[in-house]
Amino acid sequence: MAKKNKFEELNLKIVDLVGGKSNITYFIHCITRLRFNLKDNSCVDLEEIKKIPNVIGVQWSSDQLQVIIGPDVKIAYDLICKQHGLSAEDSIEENLDKDLTKKGKFSITKVFETISGCIVPLIPMFIGIGMLQAILMLLSHFGFVSAKTPTYVIMSTISDAALYFLPVAVGATASKKFGASLSIGILLGALLIHPTLSEMILKGTTLFGIDVPSTYYCYTIFPMIMTVFVCSYVEKYLNKYIPLVLQQILVPLLTIVIMVPLMLIVIAPIGVTLGTWLTNFFVWIYNKMGPLAVALVCATYPIQVMTGMHIAWDTYVINAYSTIGYDGLSAPTDPIHNTCESAACLAVALKTKDKTIKATALAAASSALISGISEPAIYGVTFRYRKPLIAVIIGCFCGGLYAGLNHVIKGTYGGSNILGLGVFLHPDPASFVHIIIAIIIAAIVTFVVTYIIFKPTDVLEHE
């Protein structure tokens, strides 16, 4: 006898209680909630939904109805989609309206939610590569395997590939978030990092006689989020004015022809340009105020990583190594930031009662601390729940200030995780001692602040 699904009653009642299938314009789920965007919100019977077994709560977030189910939400979601003919996997049914972005006042919260919507689907990938890299580093560090063996190189390349081709992945997830064509989003992301085009752009090239800014887009996220956001409106505009009989041919063609120049010349370079300005700003502060600049660089590093601005430091670091022989401005940022992300995740894991969140936080903490890959922590925990990110920023500032006051420097690349701190022995061995102290200070501050300000209910507020 088949086991009865505990969400059968929810499945039978929920669609009618939100106004029927025809009233649903967008239906997805997150880690704990069913999310409905509806044509007419007045059709919803909140009180009856609350009475359904296994429904923890119901609330409105802007114009979106959220039915809180808990960690088993995907079981309920899949059942509802199957029984009522709704497309699963964060997609909307073809004959339903594609209004994925409800009108309303602009707010920072909406910006955060939008970015999270583009990144959350990638969290399993981030956690996977982070843990894999951590295992490889431990095996290499303790002599179980050589980093030069073909097997090690191939397995290590998995992590590099995931981050290198990040614009392609973001092109796909952002397309789903904004309602743009999935294939167009993937194409634009692939174009952005195509080796031939990347080489042309770095050497200097033109498109339709207009100079293409010389930038590098691998490992970045924001350029594609911004690009696909614009692309969604371009597609909607074209679909509105091009006759139905010609849409299948002309809409993809015109979207590509319009978006490629916009992306390469205007949209994508913005994040990199902002990063360059930010770097120049901190160099100026460093020349004026020294230690404070190091603290500010560390404090803003989580934001720099999320926007891809941290790549702009490469130019400064390379120049510093080749001229004065060391980097004293950005040197402490990676180990301090990664340790703070790990500490924040550990605090969240200890406070949350949700087993799924706890497992994600612990895996992300290990990834950041051992492998130096912070994306699982940022997108899976700290940025996702806001308050831990505040704690990371505070902890990074404190650790960065200590490092700046004690002139922590390094003369070569590396040192982003606890296994690579030996790079701080050169050219000044004292830097090795001070970076360890700075990391301890940053970790303690981050953990304590996170533990104080983060509440288990914060998980529900941001899902």
Side-chain angles (χ1 to χ4, degrees):
M1 183 176 178
K3 183 178 179 180
K4 185 177 179 181
N5 192 313
K6 68 178 181 179
F7 295 111
E8 284 290 350
E9 188 170 347
L10 174 68
N11 170 55
L12 292 173
K13 294 181 177 180
I14 189 67
V15 172
D16 288 336
L17 292 177
V18 299
K21 179 179 176 180
S22 61
N23 195 41
I24 301 173
T25 60
Y26 186 39
F27 178 46
I28 57 170
H29 74 89
C30 58
I31 198 167
T32 59
R33 307 178 182 201
L34 300 172
R35 295 167 173 259
F36 295 88
N37 281 13
L38 306 168
K39 295 177 182 177
D40 184 358
N41 294 343
S42 65
C43 297
V44 177
D45 192 335
L46 287 179
E47 295 306 314
E48 288 301 317
I49 295 176
K50 291 178 182 178
K51 296 177 182 178
I52 300 176
N54 298 302
V55 170
I56 298 173
V58 186
Q59 68 178 34
W60 290 101
S61 178
S62 296
D63 285 333
Q64 186 181 74
L65 176 68
Q66 299 180 355
V67 181
I68 306 170
I69 302 298
D72 291 334
V73 64
K74 192 176 188 309
I75 299 174
Y77 178 77
D78 289 342
L79 179 63
I80 294 169
C81 288
K82 181 179 180 180
Q83 295 295 323
H84 297 277
L86 298 169
S87 297
E89 302 302 331
D90 296 344
S91 298
I92 60 174
E93 194 178 21
E94 292 181 2
N95 64 339
L96 298 180
D97 296 336
K98 295 186 178 182
D99 182 16
L100 305 186
T101 53
K102 289 287 185 179
K103 294 182 180 179
K105 293 182 179 179
F106 172 84
S107 69
I108 295 299
T109 299
K110 286 187 177 181
V111 173
F112 280 145
E113 289 176 351
T114 299
I115 298 171
S116 293
C118 297
I119 302 304
V120 167
L122 302 178
I123 289 175
M125 178 184 75
F126 287 134
I127 292 176
I129 64 172
M131 293 307 299
L132 175 60
Q133 198 66 26
I135 293 171
L136 290 174
M137 285 187 172
L138 287 173
L139 291 175
S140 175
H141 181 76
F142 290 106
F144 292 110
V145 64
S146 171
K148 296 181 180 180
T149 63
T151 300
Y152 185 98
V153 173
I154 291 174
M155 297 304 291
S156 180
T157 303
I158 295 174
S159 298
D160 293 336
L163 298 177
Y164 182 91
F165 292 102
L166 198 53
V168 179
V170 175
T173 57
S175 295
K176 288 188 175 183
K177 178 64 178 177
F178 298 124
S181 170
L182 177 65
S183 58
I184 298 296
I186 292 174
L187 172 64
L188 293 174
L191 176 66
L192 204 60
I193 60 173
H194 192 284
T196 301
L197 182 61
S198 295
E199 185 178 356
M200 290 175 61
I201 290 176
L202 291 175
K203 289 182 178 179
T205 189
T206 61
L207 180 61
F208 299 128
I210 303 174
D211 289 336
V212 177
S214 179
T215 50
Y216 184 72
Y217 298 110
C218 297
Y219 306 94
T220 62
I221 288 176
F222 261 52
M224 279 312 301
I225 292 179
M226 296 163 60
T227 295
V228 176
F229 175 75
V230 175
C231 181
S232 68
Y233 282 94
V234 170
E235 283 190 304
K236 289 174 184 177
Y237 182 87
L238 293 174
N239 278 313
K240 182 177 181 180
Y241 291 102
I242 293 177
L244 184 61
V245 69
L246 297 175
Q247 284 183 5
Q248 190 171 0
I249 298 174
L250 293 182
V251 172
L253 173 62
L254 293 177
T255 299
I256 293 171
V257 172
I258 292 171
M259 285 307 305
V260 169
L262 279 176
M263 177 178 72
L264 295 178
I265 298 173
V266 181
I267 302 172
I270 289 177
V272 179
T273 300
L274 290 175
T276 302
W277 289 349
L278 187 64
T279 301
N280 292 337
F281 171 70
F282 282 129
V283 171
W284 176 79
I285 292 181
Y286 187 61
N287 292 333
K288 297 292 183 180
M289 291 176 277
L292 180 59
V294 179
L296 290 175
V297 170
C298 287
T300 59
Y301 204 66
I303 310 300
Q304 294 180 51
V305 172
M306 286 188 290
T307 59
M309 293 179 181
H310 64 302
I311 295 175
W313 285 106
D314 287 346
T315 302
Y316 164 79
V317 171
I318 293 172
N319 181 67
Y321 289 161
S322 62
T323 53
I324 60 176
Y326 63 86
D327 166 29
L329 176 55
S330 66
T333 53
D334 270 330
I336 288 176
H337 169 242
N338 289 332
T339 305
C340 287
E341 293 286 353
S342 181
C345 288
L346 182 59
V348 169
L350 290 176
K351 291 203 71 175
T352 185
K353 298 179 181 179
D354 188 299
K355 294 182 179 179
T356 302
I357 301 299
K358 189 184 294 290
T360 298
L362 289 174
S366 300
S367 172
L369 187 65
I370 299 174
S371 69
I373 297 178
S374 60
E375 281 81 0
I378 295 174
Y379 300 118
V381 181
T382 57
F383 174 74
R384 194 175 187 180
Y385 303 128
R386 316 289 194 269
K387 290 180 182 178
L389 179 61
I390 295 173
V392 169
I393 291 173
I394 295 173
C396 284
F397 181 88
C398 295
L401 185 61
Y402 177 88
L405 288 170
N406 290 278
H407 196 54
V408 171
I409 61 175
K410 65 177 182 178
T412 185
Y413 282 102
S416 62
N417 56 73
I418 59 172
L419 299 179
L421 294 181
V423 298
F424 286 90
L425 288 168
H426 173 75
D428 180 14
S431 291
F432 177 74
V433 176
H434 289 305
I435 190 60
I436 292 177
I437 297 174
I439 287 173
I440 293 173
I441 292 172
I444 292 174
V445 171
T446 302
F447 181 88
V448 171
V449 174
T450 304
Y451 201 84
I452 292 173
I453 67 176
F454 176 79
K455 309 297 180 185
T457 53
D458 292 339
V459 171
L460 294 178
E461 292 178 8
H462 299 292
E463 294 302 335

